[in-house]
Amino acid sequence: MNAPETLHIQNGLGCGPMLLNELSPNRTHRQQVFECVRAAGAISRIDVAKSLGISPGSVTAIVTDLMEAELLYETDETRRDSGRGRPPVALSVSPRARYVVGVKLSDHSHTAVATDFAGNTLGSASLQTTPKRRPMAEAVAETQELLDRVLRDAGLAPADISAMAIGLPGIVDHASGRVPWCPLIAEENCAMRAALEDALPFAVHIDNDANMVTIAELWFGAGRARSDFAVVTIENGLGMGLVTQNQVFRGGQGQGLELGHTKVQMDGALCRCGRRGCLEAYVADYALEREAATALLTKATEEDGDRPVLQALFKSAKAGHAPAQAIFQRAGRYLAAGLANIIQLFDPPLILISGARMQYDYLYADEVLAATREMTAQAGRAPVEIEIHTWGDLVWAQGAAALALQNLTDELLRNQRVTA
Amino acid sequence: MNAPETLHIQNGLGCGPMLLNELSPNRTHRQQVFECVRAAGAISRIDVAKSLGISPGSVTAIVTDLMEAELLYETDETRRDSGRGRPPVALSVSPRARYVVGVKLSDHSHTAVATDFAGNTLGSASLQTTPKRRPMAEAVAETQELLDRVLRDAGLAPADISAMAIGLPGIVDHASGRVPWCPLIAEENCAMRAALEDALPFAVHIDNDANMVTIAELWFGAGRARSDFAVVTIENGLGMGLVTQNQVFRGGQGQGLELGHTKVQMDGALCRCGRRGCLEAYVADYALEREAATALLTKATEEDGDRPVLQALFKSAKAGHAPAQAIFQRAGRYLAAGLANIIQLFDPPLILISGARMQYDYLYADEVLAATREMTAQAGRAPVEIEIHTWGDLVWAQGAAALALQNLTDELLRNQRVTA
DNA sequence: ATTTTTATTTCGACTGTCAAAATAAATTAT
DNA sequence: ATAATTTATTTTGACAGTCGAAATAAAAAT
């Protein structure tokens, strides 16, 4: 071996990381104050100062500025805790300062919500579709139709909307706004965000649909009080999201967290992606359905809705049909392995198995969670909390709205004070 | 399903993340200027200003301060590029401002280096040991012995040293300084950093050994010019490190990136951890050795050094012995699956397979890397760069020294200007 | 009516920043 | 040799943002 025994610093080249000008997304006090008020709903200046550790004088200055910009206002409801002394004045986000829309495209139905600046849902809409790969232009047209409907429901005009975010399945690059691959869109690597921004009069953000659930958990759900957690969502595919240090982690190049395509078995089951042994080939809806088609006796009925085969499989299993139970049990074992791998690699204190269709409780049975814990038990590792969250169909769209709000407020507050 | 269709914000509770006071590790201009000079080795004020995007006046002010604190100095070597105009004055880190030591404990030998403030290696030392689980007090005594030797080699006294970092295998919690589990230490979850700081007159930092290689790559190696990359290191175990946005990622609770114990096969090969199907049970040194013991005909000879069985296996394979080749080939296939999983989850633009013992080239054969790429090929995903780095035995200790320097300079520069 | 308590605002000082002007130190042109 | 030009560095003045302390405001308790 002729590797050098020590590393000599070449003359004048120094040592240490070389990329230093990447600006870390550091939040200004203006942003922190605003976000503190938004997180609290209603909070006095003194409590903002205390919880952020900045001086009351600075809070007054910033709040005055934000009130002039009409982003905050003083609530009448004066909450008095101790009785004595000057009563605190509660601050809240002005709901009507701005409005945003969140959209989710998926295989059977697209959904949308409109929210005000404080995050209140004002209206929703959905559009039945078929799970086909359509030209991007058609997806844009569907989005416009959905936008019309949700605006009508919310009583808003297009000119009222300041930003929109849209979540879609597949590989989505949030930063560039491109969609390398999506099961709903015919073209590969299309410039989806640019197309939407051309068609619509406001800023558009796009992201992977699993990140929509993640952001929904972060903004409205169990993730609000957590700085680190993972989200796993099981639908037709298997999605995952991660929040580390209060930030959504998107992978080194924006295409990470493809849990569904991690390999859990050499030469294993065939996956939609054409390869073998991917986790999703054991756990996702389509994986269960194809096993059901092979082994199931009972026929699906009309009333079984969206996923008739899967519903029938579930009913059989519940009724005690052993082959149906075995299908769910194997999926559960593989899911446990996938969760264990998440824990080994990302080490989150909390995993949320979250989504709109969490009814197949075989997958989340105590045995599965126990197996996960057993596969990761080790000295000094605190057992990971695992929670199952069943949300309404609108979670995804609401997460998208939160993403739009996040980008919008960053935009509004990042720069200097709003000049009068 | 009785999940709510929309998420209503409870009165006064708001929406959005609640944990906002976590201070993001934002670097001040002082830190950036210092790190820029350190990264460049020698650089003029104007070039610092240009590369950081801050004004020349501010650079002058900060540099004056750092020179008064004797952390920087003006190099004589005036490098003139264009000829005309006032020649720039190069700045460099004062090598003798501070000194640090980096230590690596491992199963067969412990190593240490001492470096100056600019990262130049001044001396090294090693200590032969046996792979046993010893009381923590003994490990501390060994570290002290190693420290004596490295100081003697470098011509330094204990009082010259400002900080030390130590890397060890197993589960190590950098933030708390505790060692939940380590194959070299008898106790579980022992307060290793506290014990070392009690025994030594300077600050001590500890971390997982895989992070030492990662930091070595970030400070001295291929990672210097990269903001995002992963490191995989194969020794007796299988380690991994990740740098995202110029920061070492340690997982949500400081115990992440346990690549060796991710599951790649249900009911698979037996792992040191007692479970089955862990990646390390197919790829690590001990996994190859036990297969060699079963199938190998040739005997290991005296000259085969540290790992006689493994060396003999490698020689057989090179000589064309089919069973020996098959052992390496299977390990290569599983390694490819592990690398593919890293790519699917973390999406790094670059993976460095790095360490002191990278000579078993079967594992990194073109087929293996091709298999990795094939398992992750997808529309819109740029093919990941994979590089093999063979380092000297001191990499680990040098990475540790870099960690010590990093913490020391953070400490020195984080606070206000050094008052005169 | 006065005192006490608590929240908010105002004020002065200070740090860090930039832009622009001034200065310094070299080369090139005359 | 001297002046002009070029480039690097320093100085200066202005200004945002920040804090601590003092002042003010608005309530309850005495």
Side-chain angles (χ1 to χ4, degrees):
Chain A
M1 181 193 333
N2 48 14
E5 265 307 295
T6 62
L7 306 154
H8 290 292
I9 293 175
Q10 283 174 51
N11 185 26
L13 285 180
C15 67
M18 287 169 79
L19 265 54
L20 303 165
N21 41 358
E22 313 314 54
L23 34 125
S24 76
N26 188 42
R27 314 203 84 63
T28 64
H29 281 180
R30 272 171 62 82
Q31 290 175 303
Q32 288 184 57
V33 167
F34 180 84
E35 286 165 10
C36 181
V37 173
R38 181 169 61 195
I43 186 174
S44 65
R45 290 170 179 80
I46 187 72
D47 288 339
V48 170
K50 276 180 199 157
S51 68
L52 296 177
I54 64 185
S55 74
S58 301
V59 174
T60 290
I62 291 166
V63 165
T64 304
D65 178 46
L66 291 175
M67 282 172 45
E68 270 167 22
E70 299 193 329
L71 302 180
L72 297 184
Y73 73 104
E74 293 186 342
T75 317
D76 353 340
E77 49 165 288
T78 304
R79 195 182 303 177
R80 29 189 51 280
D81 293 342
S82 60
R84 305 247 303 190
R86 176 175 175 172
V89 181
L91 303 164
S92 294
V93 170
S94 303
R96 284 180 298 275
R98 300 288 190 285
Y99 300 95
V100 302
V101 169
V103 172
K104 158 81 188 299
L105 304 186
S106 68
D107 45 356
H108 286 99
S109 77
H110 303 338
T111 49
V113 298
T115 82
D116 63 27
F117 200 52
N120 300 106
T121 300
L122 301 180
S124 64
S126 71
L127 186 65
Q128 294 306 308
T129 57
T130 48
K132 65 176 182 211
R133 296 189 72 177
R134 68 213 79 194
M136 181 182 73
E138 199 175 316
V140 170
E142 287 172 333
T143 306
Q144 283 182 296
E145 167 64 22
L146 204 52
L147 180 67
D148 281 350
R149 292 196 196 179
V150 76
L151 290 183
R152 211 172 313 132
D153 191 51
L156 294 170
D160 294 327
I161 303 301
S162 296
M164 182 180 107
I166 177 165
L168 50 173
I171 316 287
V172 183
D173 188 330
H174 172 72
S176 73
R178 302 187 76 90
V179 180
W181 184 84
C182 172
L184 303 177
I185 293 184
E187 296 94 335
E188 289 195 346
N189 200 25
C190 60
M192 182 83 174
R193 186 177 65 198
L196 286 164
E197 286 193 326
D198 285 347
L200 300 171
F202 39 72
V204 177
H205 308 277
I206 68 174
D207 208 341
N208 184 280
D209 55 1
N211 279 342
M212 300 294 108
V213 191
T214 307
I215 294 170
E217 290 284 2
L218 182 62
W219 274 60
F220 306 107
R224 288 197 61 199
R226 302 301 206 108
S227 59
D228 299 86
F229 62 94
V231 172
V232 171
T233 166
I234 306 171
E235 287 202 299
N236 194 40
L238 190 60
M240 162 175 186
L242 184 75
V243 171
T244 320
Q245 293 170 40
N246 283 307
Q247 301 265 107
V248 175
F249 176 83
R250 291 190 170 88
Q253 301 171 93
Q255 296 182 23
L257 303 176
E258 282 293 329
L259 178 66
H261 300 287
T262 56
K263 193 136 292 194
V264 290
Q265 185 82 41
M266 279 290 174
D267 307 316
L270 184 65
C271 176
R272 283 190 299 175
C273 72
R275 293 183 278 254
R276 289 193 172 274
C278 296
L279 180 57
E280 115 172 3
Y282 294 94
V283 176
D285 288 358
Y286 74 86
L288 297 172
E289 279 173 352
R290 73 181 163 198
E291 297 226 305
T294 308
L296 204 59
L297 303 175
T298 57
K299 277 272 170 281
T301 62
E302 286 289 309
E303 77 208 20
D304 284 332
D306 236 26
R307 289 271 178 186
V309 179
L310 199 47
Q311 283 291 353
L313 177 71
F314 185 62
K315 279 200 270 181
S316 292
K318 279 286 173 196
H321 183 55
Q325 287 177 343
I327 291 173
F328 278 110
Q329 275 157 11
R330 187 178 82 154
R333 281 186 74 208
Y334 276 95
L335 179 62
L339 297 178
N341 286 353
I342 290 176
I343 295 168
Q344 296 286 9
L345 291 173
F346 296 105
D347 190 27
L350 169 68
I351 297 179
L352 302 170
I353 302 177
S354 175
R357 221 185 303 124
M358 293 286 120
Q359 70 270 53
Y360 307 122
D361 47 24
Y362 278 100
L363 289 181
Y364 327 110
D366 288 344
E367 304 98 85
V368 173
L369 304 189
T372 302
R373 293 209 176 83
E374 191 264 315
M375 283 188 240
T376 54
Q378 91 197 152
R381 162 110 71 196
V384 178
E385 289 175 64
I386 303 177
E387 289 180 18
I388 319 296
H389 281 200
T390 307
W391 295 75
D393 283 334
L394 294 177
V395 219
W396 317 82
Q398 289 186 291
L403 177 62
L405 276 179
Q406 191 185 92
N407 281 289
L408 175 62
T409 50
D410 270 13
E411 178 81 14
L412 287 171
L413 300 174
R414 183 175 37 237
N415 303 318
Q416 320 306 13
R417 61 170 55 231
V418 183
T419 45
Chain B
M1 183 195 327
N2 47 13
E5 266 306 296
T6 62
L7 305 153
H8 289 291
I9 294 175
Q10 283 173 54
N11 187 24
L13 285 179
C15 67
M18 285 169 81
L19 265 53
L20 304 165
N21 43 356
E22 312 316 51
L23 34 126
S24 77
N26 188 43
R27 313 202 86 62
T28 65
H29 281 179
R30 272 169 64 82
Q31 289 175 303
Q32 288 183 56
V33 166
F34 181 84
E35 286 165 9
C36 182
V37 172
R38 183 170 60 195
I43 186 174
S44 64
R45 290 170 178 81
I46 188 71
D47 288 340
V48 171
K50 277 180 199 158
S51 69
L52 295 177
I54 64 185
S55 73
S58 301
V59 174
T60 290
I62 291 166
V63 166
T64 304
D65 178 47
L66 291 175
M67 282 173 45
E68 270 168 22
E70 299 192 329
L71 302 179
L72 297 184
Y73 73 105
E74 294 187 343
T75 318
D76 349 345
E77 49 165 290
T78 304
R79 195 183 303 177
R80 32 190 46 282
D81 293 342
S82 60
R84 306 235 317 183
R86 177 175 176 171
V89 180
L91 303 165
S92 293
V93 171
S94 302
R96 285 180 298 275
R98 301 286 190 285
Y99 300 96
V100 302
V101 169
V103 173
K104 156 83 190 293
L105 304 186
S106 67
D107 44 357
H108 286 99
S109 77
H110 303 337
T111 50
V113 297
T115 81
D116 64 25
F117 200 50
N120 300 107
T121 300
L122 301 179
S124 63
S126 71
L127 186 66
Q128 294 305 308
T129 57
T130 47
K132 67 177 181 207
R133 296 190 71 175
R134 70 214 76 195
M136 180 182 72
E138 201 175 314
V140 171
E142 287 172 332
T143 306
Q144 282 182 296
E145 168 63 21
L146 203 52
L147 180 67
D148 281 350
R149 294 196 194 180
V150 75
L151 290 183
R152 211 173 311 132
D153 190 53
L156 295 170
D160 295 326
I161 303 300
S162 297
M164 182 179 105
I166 179 167
L168 50 172
I171 316 287
V172 183
D173 188 332
H174 172 73
S176 73
R178 302 188 77 88
V179 180
W181 183 85
C182 172
L184 302 176
I185 294 184
E187 296 94 334
E188 289 194 346
N189 199 25
C190 60
M192 182 83 173
R193 185 176 66 197
L196 286 164
E197 286 192 326
D198 285 348
L200 300 170
F202 38 72
V204 177
H205 309 276
I206 68 174
D207 209 340
N208 184 280
D209 55 1
N211 279 341
M212 300 293 109
V213 192
T214 307
I215 293 170
E217 290 284 2
L218 182 64
W219 273 61
F220 306 107
R224 287 197 62 200
R226 302 300 208 109
S227 59
D228 298 86
F229 62 94
V231 172
V232 172
T233 168
I234 307 172
E235 288 201 299
N236 195 40
L238 189 61
M240 165 177 183
L242 184 75
V243 171
T244 320
Q245 294 170 41
N246 283 306
Q247 301 265 111
V248 175
F249 176 84
R250 291 189 170 90
Q253 300 171 96
Q255 296 181 24
L257 303 176
E258 283 293 329
L259 179 66
H261 301 286
T262 57
K263 194 136 293 196
V264 290
Q265 185 82 42
M266 279 290 173
D267 306 316
L270 184 65
C271 177
R272 284 189 300 175
C273 71
R275 293 183 278 253
R276 288 192 172 273
C278 296
L279 180 57
E280 123 173 358
Y282 294 94
V283 176
D285 289 359
Y286 75 86
L288 296 172
E289 279 173 350
R290 73 181 164 198
E291 296 227 304
T294 308
L296 203 60
L297 303 174
T298 57
K299 276 271 169 283
T301 64
E302 285 288 309
E303 76 209 19
D304 284 332
D306 234 27
R307 288 274 180 185
V309 179
L310 198 46
Q311 281 292 350
L313 178 70
F314 185 61
K315 280 200 270 180
S316 294
K318 280 284 172 196
H321 184 56
Q325 289 178 342
I327 291 173
F328 277 110
Q329 275 157 9
R330 187 178 83 154
R333 282 185 74 210
Y334 276 96
L335 178 61
L339 296 178
N341 285 353
I342 290 176
I343 294 168
Q344 296 287 7
L345 291 174
F346 296 106
D347 190 28
L350 169 69
I351 298 180
L352 301 170
I353 302 177
S354 176
R357 222 186 301 125
M358 292 286 118
Q359 70 269 54
Y360 306 121
D361 47 26
Y362 279 100
L363 289 181
Y364 327 111
D366 289 344
E367 304 98 84
V368 173
L369 304 189
T372 302
R373 294 209 176 84
E374 190 264 314
M375 283 189 240
T376 53
Q378 90 197 153
R381 163 109 71 195
V384 178
E385 288 175 65
I386 303 178
E387 289 180 19
I388 318 297
H389 282 199
T390 308
W391 295 75
D393 282 335
L394 295 177
V395 219
W396 318 82
Q398 291 187 291
L403 177 62
L405 277 180
Q406 189 186 96
N407 282 289
L408 174 61
T409 51
D410 270 12
E411 179 79 17
L412 288 172
L413 300 175
R414 184 175 33 241
N415 303 319
Q416 321 306 14
R417 61 172 54 230
V418 182
T419 45

